[in-house]
Amino acid sequence: MRTKILAGPLALALLLTACTGEESPTASGATKTVKIDIHGWVGYEAQAAVLAHLLKSRLGYQVQTREMAEADSWKGFETGEVDVIVENWGHNDLKEEYIEKKKVALSAGLTGNKGVIGWYVPEWMVKEHPDITDWRNLNKYANLFRTAKSGELGQVLDGDPSFVTNDEALVKNLKLDYKVVYSGSEDALIKAAQSATKNKTPLLLYFYEPQWLFTKVKLVKINLPAHAIGCDARPARVACDYPPYLLDKIVSKRFAETGGKAYELVRNFQWTNDDQNKVASDMINEDLTAAEAAKRWVEENEIVWKDWIPR
């Protein structure tokens, strides 16, 4: 869905366990190195870490990772640089190009996560202004959200510009007295939400689920015009809320054909928002590396993953 450059112990844990050599096929032709791209939000990283842990510990595969923006990852299906995108948020245009036209990728099924994108405010704002959750009233409150970056307009705080977003079109087409300001990362959005809650600072932000932050901070979603099929078909004219996302896994066609049990595991993988949030929360709030958090979750949830493992 959304992309930051990963740094520090989270990325290091994955990279230290990655294979840096060439792929080595088994006698049956199945590759023994799985190339997983890492996108810029912690939930994605959590899912990738769990898959990597199971691929290595249960099936004996090696895992090679790289940090990439969402759209750039899809190019790797054509060049052979990526086998798996573990969490895809829509991207029907990319599916059309790489799955339907170029036929170098395919969907490996749903992740089980239910994806939601929208605009949110801290709960305390709703208690003070109960009608603020109706988009029709946002202009009435625009002055509350003014910042140095938005000037005379209210601010809608977005993440990285590469995240899935219709916000600039929404502001224009709904005639809202707001300006979209990009914070640059998921981390910046999280810190803004935490600060706005703690200090009672007005904040209107783009955010999404699954996300561990909802277990720590109370945010309330703004009711934008209801989504209807086709209302977002023309990006420049979008004037409706984001659709619900049934997140899926995307793999290269080559990996589907030669990945053997690794591909079967990726295809079988299916968990919940709560599962993902547990791993992500351990990474952020318990100061565990992605690999450590994944290992903990695997040890505690065999009942969930045991049926993912190919026989």
Side-chain angles (χ1 to χ4, degrees):
M1 185 202 69
R2 302 150 304 268
T3 301
K4 69 180 179 184
I5 298 300
L6 302 177
L10 304 186
L12 183 60
L14 284 171
L15 295 175
L16 288 177
T17 56
C19 169
T20 57
E22 297 297 321
E23 297 180 9
S24 53
T26 63
S28 64
T31 58
K32 292 297 289 182
T33 296
V34 181
K35 301 173 182 177
I36 299 177
D37 272 5
I38 306 298
H39 294 168
W41 57 98
V42 69
Y44 185 108
E45 190 177 2
Q47 184 163 313
V50 169
L51 266 173
H53 181 83
L54 291 172
L55 283 165
K56 290 181 287 187
S57 66
R58 301 294 162 174
L59 297 180
Y61 284 80
Q62 295 176 311
V63 177
Q64 179 175 315
T65 64
R66 65 173 186 167
E67 302 155 11
M68 294 294 289
E70 291 175 83
D72 292 337
S73 278
W74 289 72
K75 300 172 186 176
F77 291 133
E78 194 168 17
T79 62
E81 295 174 283
V82 62
D83 295 320
V84 185
I85 291 174
V86 304
E87 184 180 284
N88 171 61
W89 287 69
H91 293 300
N92 291 331
D93 55 337
L94 295 173
K95 285 185 173 181
E96 181 179 2
E97 180 177 359
Y98 291 96
I99 295 178
E100 297 176 18
K101 293 182 179 179
K102 294 184 176 180
K103 302 185 185 305
V104 293
L106 53 88
S107 174
L110 300 176
T111 69
N113 298 126
K114 305 299 188 295
V116 177
I117 299 177
W119 292 2
Y120 294 82
V121 293
E123 184 183 56
W124 69 264
M125 293 196 74
V126 180
K127 291 180 178 179
E128 291 190 8
H129 311 287
D131 63 346
I132 201 171
T133 57
D134 186 334
W135 71 271
R136 298 174 186 86
N137 296 320
L138 286 177
N139 279 346
K140 181 169 69 171
Y141 295 107
N143 64 307
L144 295 179
F145 299 105
R146 290 176 182 169
T147 69
K149 292 184 177 180
S150 66
E152 294 301 310
L153 300 173
Q155 174 180 277
V156 180
L157 187 67
D158 268 46
D160 188 291
S162 69
F163 289 178
V164 174
T165 177
N166 300 324
D167 288 359
E168 291 187 14
L170 281 168
V171 166
K172 177 182 178 182
N173 297 326
L174 295 179
K175 297 179 171 56
L176 298 177
D177 300 327
Y178 286 79
K179 177 181 179 180
V180 176
V181 174
Y182 293 96
S183 66
S185 69
E186 178 183 71
D187 284 347
L189 286 175
I190 290 171
K191 289 176 182 176
Q194 291 171 324
S195 176
T197 298
K198 179 180 179 181
N199 301 315
K200 286 202 167 184
T201 305
L203 177 67
L204 176 62
L205 80 162
Y206 162 104
F207 212 56
Y208 40 83
E209 300 179 59
Q211 227 303 324
W212 66 267
L213 185 67
F214 286 97
T215 67
K216 303 291 183 180
V217 172
K218 294 187 181 300
L219 301 173
V220 180
K221 193 172 184 291
I222 299 295
N223 296 313
L224 293 170
H227 184 271
I229 295 176
C231 71
D232 53 359
R234 300 181 68 176
R237 296 192 176 184
V238 174
C240 59
D241 207 346
Y242 293 86
Y245 291 91
L246 295 177
L247 310 183
D248 61 347
K249 301 152 288 186
I250 308 296
V251 300
S252 70
K253 184 178 180 182
R254 173 181 169 280
F255 178 66
E257 293 172 346
T258 67
K261 290 186 175 182
Y263 169 65
E264 291 183 54
L265 171 57
V266 172
R267 186 183 60 194
N268 293 342
F269 180 101
Q270 192 167 83
W271 65 354
T272 67
N273 286 14
D274 287 343
D275 290 322
Q276 185 181 106
N277 287 341
K278 177 62 171 68
V279 180
S281 180
D282 281 351
M283 291 163 60
I284 300 298
N285 300 307
E286 301 297 326
D287 201 27
L288 297 183
T289 65
E292 289 169 344
K295 184 175 184 291
R296 173 187 283 185
W297 185 89
V298 167
E299 290 173 346
E300 295 175 352
N301 292 275
E302 183 175 358
I303 192 172
V304 179
W305 58 260
K306 66 180 181 179
D307 290 336
W308 304 344
I309 308 300
R311 307 301 179 194

